[in-house]
Amino acid sequence: MQMKSINTSEMHAGEMLSNVMTMNGIPKHKQASHIRDVLNVSTPQAQRKLKGTAPWELTQLEQVVGSLDLSMSQFFAMFENELSEKHDAVFNIDKLEIPCKIYLSKENSKERREYSAVKVNDKWHVFKTEEIEENELYIEARRFIGMIIIESNKTEIKKKRIALLDDDKDVLESISEIISHGDYTVNSFSNLSDLEAKIASAPYDAYVMDWIVHDKSAYESIRKIRESKKPHAMIIVLTGQDSEEVDDEIATAISDFDIIGPFSKPLKINSIQRLIDKYFLRRI
């Protein structure tokens, strides 16, 4: 598939590509070489394409535009808007300064745009045009913006944090070994006071808790979880004791705090893992 020859009045792709390459730091004397390397063509062929004396295949244009970190829609928008300059800038949104790239309309352009840029202390700032129209200082200095590009950078997936509570170290090690895989960060606690300190300062996304720890129930600790900054965390309760008093208190906790369990020890640890995986999968 071939595009029209770019020396037509409709499109001046070679000229526009040259402008974009200049804005991306590729000087004019190296632009033909850049096109040659991207397209794997001869230098004379690359020069003819730049000058508009050789037609472009759509796939070729896409390759060169892509090498300049632009999409085809962005490139054609630059045609339409006759953008002439590219700058690093900051976009002020909700009191945050978000780095971006801006493409300014020609300096003498009279076509009003939704966003404008003002250079303050050698840094370009992006504003809504209507927000600065009453400011005479900004009106003098502003430039209309044809396109704003905010890059969405790669981020690491934040691991879910799980707290384990039990005064039996063998149980802690067994559970931790099973669920401590790539998706979770697991911390173990053998007493209620240490866990409660963490609940207050940095609550977890899920808890696996023995109901009786050193002869004291976890009821108050669970209440503190529900009053923490993560009140909807998953809480799985384990128990190795059977008595009417324990059963009644756990029944109250199930009613008051929406806990899961109790699971009797010795327990099927794989079942605990499946519950945790299912809970977080539901919340993706």
Side-chain angles (χ1 to χ4, degrees), residues 145-208:
I145 300 173
M147 183 162 53
I148 303 168
I149 298 177
I150 298 175
E151 295 181 359
S152 181
N153 297 319
K154 291 182 180 179
T155 58
E156 293 293 327
I157 297 174
K158 196 172 182 180
K159 291 184 179 181
K160 300 298 183 182
R161 297 170 59 246
I162 301 174
L164 308 180
L165 172 69
D166 203 302
D167 52 13
D168 186 328
K169 290 186 178 180
D170 290 337
V171 172
L172 285 177
E173 288 178 5
S174 297
I175 300 176
S176 180
E177 185 177 341
I178 291 294
I179 66 176
S180 292
H181 54 72
D183 294 332
Y184 309 126
T185 297
V186 179
N187 295 133
S188 299
F189 299 87
S190 57
N191 64 73
L192 291 165
S193 58
D194 287 348
L195 176 61
E196 288 176 3
K198 272 293 188 181
I199 293 169
S201 62
Y204 288 82
D205 301 296
Y207 299 81
V208 180

Side-chain angles (χ1 to χ4, degrees), residues 7-278:
N7 58 8
T8 67
S9 59
E10 296 178 13
M11 295 179 66
H12 301 279
E15 180 183 352
M16 195 63 197
L17 277 173
S18 179
N19 290 339
V20 175
M21 284 190 281
T22 300
M23 286 188 281
N24 279 269
I26 303 174
K28 286 190 178 294
H29 69 276
K30 291 187 178 180
Q31 292 174 3
S33 299
H34 179 81
I35 292 174
R36 177 199 65 199
D37 295 341
V38 171
L39 300 181
N40 193 27
V41 297
S42 67
T43 300
Q45 283 179 303
Q47 289 171 336
R48 288 196 296 273
K49 288 183 179 294
L50 261 182
K51 293 176 181 178
T53 58
W56 287 86
E57 293 181 7
L58 181 58
T59 53
Q60 291 178 326
L61 189 57
E62 287 176 337
Q63 283 180 268
V64 178
V65 169
S67 75
L68 302 173
D69 294 323
L70 285 175
S71 68
M72 289 298 287
S73 59
Q74 290 168 340
F75 180 71
F76 285 122
M78 294 173 74
F79 267 115
E80 180 184 345
N81 299 327
E82 295 187 297
L83 308 181
S84 59
E85 295 179 37
K86 172 188 173 184
H87 296 285
D88 291 323
V90 290
F91 201 161
N92 298 281
I93 303 176
D94 295 331
K95 298 181 180 179
L96 295 176
E97 288 193 348
I98 300 175
C100 63
K101 296 186 185 301
I102 56 173
Y103 290 83
L104 300 179
S105 299
K106 288 185 176 180
E107 198 161 3
N108 58 358
S109 174
K110 302 298 182 185
E111 187 177 19
R112 188 178 185 277
R113 295 282 176 169
E114 183 179 3
Y115 290 97
S116 295
V118 178
K119 197 171 187 180
V120 180
N121 296 329
D122 292 325
K123 181 185 287 188
W124 286 96
H125 291 260
V126 177
F127 299 95
K128 275 213 160 193
T129 299
E130 62 185 20
E131 293 175 355
I132 62 173
E133 282 184 320
E134 302 301 320
N135 189 318
E136 292 185 3
L137 291 176
Y138 282 179
I139 287 177
E140 291 289 329
R142 79 174 179 200
R143 294 279 301 278
F144 287 126
I145 300 173
M147 183 162 53
I148 303 168
I149 298 177
I150 298 175
E151 295 181 359
S152 181
N153 297 319
K154 291 182 180 179
T155 58
E156 293 293 327
I157 297 174
K158 196 172 182 180
K159 291 184 179 181
K160 300 298 183 182
R161 297 170 59 246
I162 301 174
L164 308 180
L165 172 69
D166 203 302
D167 52 13
D168 186 328
K169 290 186 178 180
D170 290 337
V171 172
L172 285 177
E173 288 178 5
S174 297
I175 300 176
S176 180
E177 185 177 341
I178 291 294
I179 66 176
S180 292
H181 54 72
D183 294 332
Y184 309 126
T185 297
V186 179
N187 295 133
S188 299
F189 299 87
S190 57
N191 64 73
L192 291 165
S193 58
D194 287 348
L195 176 61
E196 288 176 3
K198 272 293 188 181
I199 293 169
S201 62
Y204 288 82
D205 301 296
Y207 299 81
V208 180
M209 309 173 66
D210 190 10
W211 182 253
I212 301 295
V213 180
H214 299 300
D215 298 323
K216 186 177 179 181
S217 87
Y219 185 93
E220 282 302 309
S221 299
I222 293 172
R223 180 180 63 78
K224 290 178 181 180
I225 292 170
R226 292 296 181 235
E227 294 173 353
S228 73
K229 293 178 181 178
K230 291 188 176 181
H232 304 296
M234 181 188 202
I235 302 174
I236 298 174
V237 169
L238 316 176
T239 180
Q241 301 185 25
D242 293 317
S243 73
E244 286 189 13
E245 183 179 348
V246 169
D247 290 345
D248 288 346
E249 195 175 26
I250 290 177
T252 301
I254 292 172
S255 174
D256 292 348
F257 302 128
D258 186 27
I259 65 175
I260 300 173
F263 292 90
S264 297
K265 297 191 293 183
L267 64 149
K268 294 181 180 179
I269 297 175
N270 287 335
S271 299
I272 301 297
Q273 182 190 7
R274 283 195 295 272
L275 281 170
I276 292 171
D277 290 342
K278 185 177 180 181

